[in-house]
C-alpha cells in the first residue's frame, strides 16, 4: 500500500479517541459515579483551561474555523462532550481513592483533611491525570502536512493549527508537571512520569506500525494498547493508593483495575463497528483488535488477498465489504471473549476493597465495558 494510504489508516485510528462503549449505558454509569465523588469531573481541568494563557490560545484557534484541522474537534470536545465523557480517567482515580479510603494503619492527622472520603492530594492527582490525557489529545491533533489537500483549508492555517496543537499541549503538560511536583511525593512523581513515557512510546509504536504488513499480533496489540491507553490510568490509580499510604497489595490491585478496565474499554471501542446495528459504512482501523484476530486466523497471504478484493482502483477500501469478510470468521467473537476477560479481571481486582458506593460504581464501569 502507498505511504499516503497507510498514513490515512493511522489517522483513522486516532479518530476513535473520544469514543466510549455503549453510549447510553456508559453515560448512565459515569453520571451515577460522578454523584458519588461529589462533583462532575468534566469541570476538573477548568482552572487550567480558563487561565489567561489558554484563553489566548482559544482566541487564536478561532482562525481554524472553516478548516478540517483536528484541533477544532478537540477544542469542541472540551466545551461540550457529554455523550463521550472525556474526564473518565480522573473520575476513576477519585472513585478508587474513595473506595480504598484512608489506610487502616495510618494515624496521621491528614485524615482530618479528607472531603467526601478523598484526600485533597488525590483530587489534585485526578486533575493532573486529566491534564496529561488532555495534553496528549491535543498533541495527537497534529496534521501530517504531506497529506494536505486544498479541501482541508489554507496551508498556512493548517501550519498554524499544528503550532497551536504543539504549544497548547506542551502548556497543559507543563501545568501537570508543576502540580505533580506540588504533591511532594517522589514515588508518585516517578509513577506518573513513567506513565507519560509509556504513552509517548505507545503512540510512537502506533504511528510506526503498518496494518497491511500485519506486524501486530494480539500479544503485541495488548502491550501497545496498555502503553498508549492503559498506563496512565493504571499508574494513576496506583499513585492514588500511595498518596493515602496504602501498602503494596492495595497499590497493585488498583493498578490491575486500571490496566484491565482500560484494555476492556479499548476492546469495546474497537468492537463497535462490528457489533452495533445499522448498515452504514463505518470506517475502522486495520490495527483494531477484531482485525488483528482475523489476520491471525486467515494468515498473511489470505489477508492481503482480502484487502485487494475490497479496494477500488484508487486503492480506497470498501469498509462495508471488509467488515462482512471479518465477521465471517471468529475474530469478532475472540475479541468479545478478550473484552469479557479484561472486564472480569477488573472486577476481580475490586473484590479485596471494602463494600461501598464507590466500589460498586467501579464494578459497574467494569461491567459496562463488556456490554454492547
Amino acid at each position: 500500500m502507498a505511504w499516503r494510504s497507510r498514513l490515512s489508516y493511522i489517522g483513522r485510528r486516532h479518530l476513535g479517541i473520544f469514543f466510549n462503549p455503549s453510549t447510553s449505558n456508559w453515560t448512565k454509569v459515569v453520571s451515577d459515579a460522578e454523584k458519588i465523588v461529589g462533583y462532575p469531573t468534566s469541570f476538573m481541568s477548568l482552572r487550567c483551561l480558563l487561565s489567561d494563557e489558554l484563553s489566548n490560545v482559544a482566541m487564536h484557534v478561532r482562525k481554524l474555523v472553516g478548516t478540517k484541522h483536528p484541533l477544532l474537534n478537540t477544542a469542541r470536545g472540551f466545551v461540550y462532550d457529554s455523550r463521550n465523557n472525556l474526564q473518565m480517567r480522573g473520575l476513576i482515580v477519585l472513585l478508587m481513592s474513595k473506595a480504598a479510603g484512608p489506610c487502616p494503619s495510618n494515624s496521621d492527622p491528614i485524615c482530618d483533611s479528607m472531603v467526601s472520603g478523598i484526600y485533597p492530594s488525590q483530587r489534585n492527582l485526578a486533575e493532573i491525570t486529566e491534564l496529561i490525557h488532555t495534553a496528549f489529545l491535543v498533541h495527537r491533533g497534529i496534521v501530517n502536512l504531506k497529506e494536505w489537500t486544498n479541501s482541508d483549508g489554507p496551508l498556512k492555517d493548517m501550519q498554524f493549527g499544528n503550532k497551536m496543537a504543539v504549544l497548547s499541549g506542551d502548556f497543559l503538560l507543563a501545568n501537570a508537571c508543576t502540580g505533580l511536583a506540588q504533591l511532594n511525593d517522589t514515588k508518585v512523581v516517578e509513577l506518573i512520569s513513567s506513565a507519560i513515557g509509556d504513552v509517548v512510546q505507545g503512540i510512537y509504536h502506533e504511528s510506526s506500525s503498518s496494518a497491511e504488513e500485519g506486524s501486530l499480533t494480539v500479544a503485541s496489540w495488548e502491550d501497545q494498547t496498555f502503553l498508549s491507553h492503559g498506563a496512565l490510568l493504571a499508574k494513576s490509580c496506583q499513585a492514588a493508593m500511595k498518596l493515602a499510604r496504602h501498602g503494596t497489595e492495595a497499590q497493585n490491585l488498583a493498578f490491575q483495575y486500571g490496566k484491565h478496565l482500560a484494555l476492556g474499554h479499548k476492546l469495546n471501542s474497537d468492537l463497535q463497528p462490528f457489533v452495533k446495528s445499522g448498515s452504514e459504512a463505518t470506517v475502522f482501523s486495520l490495527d483494531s483488535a477484531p482485525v488483528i484476530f482475523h489476520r491471525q486466523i486467515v494468515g498473511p497471504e489470505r489477508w492481503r488477498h482480502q484487502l485487494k478484493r475490497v479496494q477500488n482502483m484508487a486503492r480506497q477500501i470498501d469498509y462495508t465489504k471488509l467488515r462482512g469478510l471479518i465477521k465471517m470468521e471468529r475474530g469478532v467473537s475472540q475479541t468479545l471473549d478478550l473484552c469479557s476477560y479484561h472486564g472480569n479481571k477488573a472486577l476481580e481486582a475490586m473484590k479485596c476493597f471494602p463494600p461501598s458506593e464507590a466500589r460498586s460504581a467501579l464494578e459497574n464501569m467494569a461491567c459496562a465495558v463488556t456490554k454492547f
Side-chain angles (χ1 to χ4, degrees), residues 106-181:
N106 183 19
S107 57
D108 196 290
I110 62 167
C111 291
D112 298 334
S113 64
M114 295 183 80
V115 178
S116 299
I118 303 170
Y119 292 114
S121 60
Q122 292 172 320
R123 289 191 184 272
N124 291 338
L125 174 66
E127 183 172 332
I128 289 165
T129 301
E130 281 306 331
L131 283 176
I132 293 169
H133 175 62
T134 302
F136 279 109
L137 285 183
V138 173
H139 278 160
R140 283 188 177 204
I142 298 171
V143 172
N144 185 346
L145 294 176
K146 291 181 180 179
E147 294 186 316
W148 170 80
T149 62
N150 288 324
S151 63
D152 295 327
L155 178 59
K156 65 177 183 178
D157 288 346
M158 301 301 281
Q159 291 171 331
F160 177 77
N162 279 359
K163 291 177 182 177
M164 296 307 296
V166 171
L167 293 174
S168 53
D170 287 350
F171 173 77
L172 292 172
L173 270 178
N175 273 267
C177 291
T178 300
L180 197 57

Side-chain angles (χ1 to χ4, degrees), residues 94-111:
L94 293 177
L95 287 171
M96 184 64 69
S97 302
K98 191 175 178 70
C103 179
S105 60
N106 183 19
S107 57
D108 196 290
I110 62 167
C111 291

Side-chain angles (χ1 to χ4, degrees), residues 178-251:
T178 300
L180 197 57
Q182 290 171 350
L183 292 177
N184 294 319
D185 191 309
T186 54
K187 175 64 175 177
V188 170
V189 171
E190 181 184 334
L191 272 173
I192 304 303
S193 298
S194 66
I196 293 173
D198 289 340
V199 177
V200 172
Q201 185 180 346
I203 294 173
Y204 172 79
H205 287 314
E206 275 185 1
S207 301
S208 60
S209 64
S210 170
E212 188 184 29
E213 291 171 4
S215 57
L216 276 178
T217 63
V218 174
S220 61
W221 179 91
E222 284 195 277
D223 291 341
Q224 178 178 293
T225 301
F226 170 72
L227 291 174
S228 58
H229 291 82
L232 180 60
L233 178 59
K235 292 184 177 181
S236 293
C237 288
Q238 181 181 354
M241 299 298 96
K242 179 66 174 66
L243 287 172
R245 302 182 185 177
H246 285 284
T248 305
E249 182 182 3
Q251 291 181 38

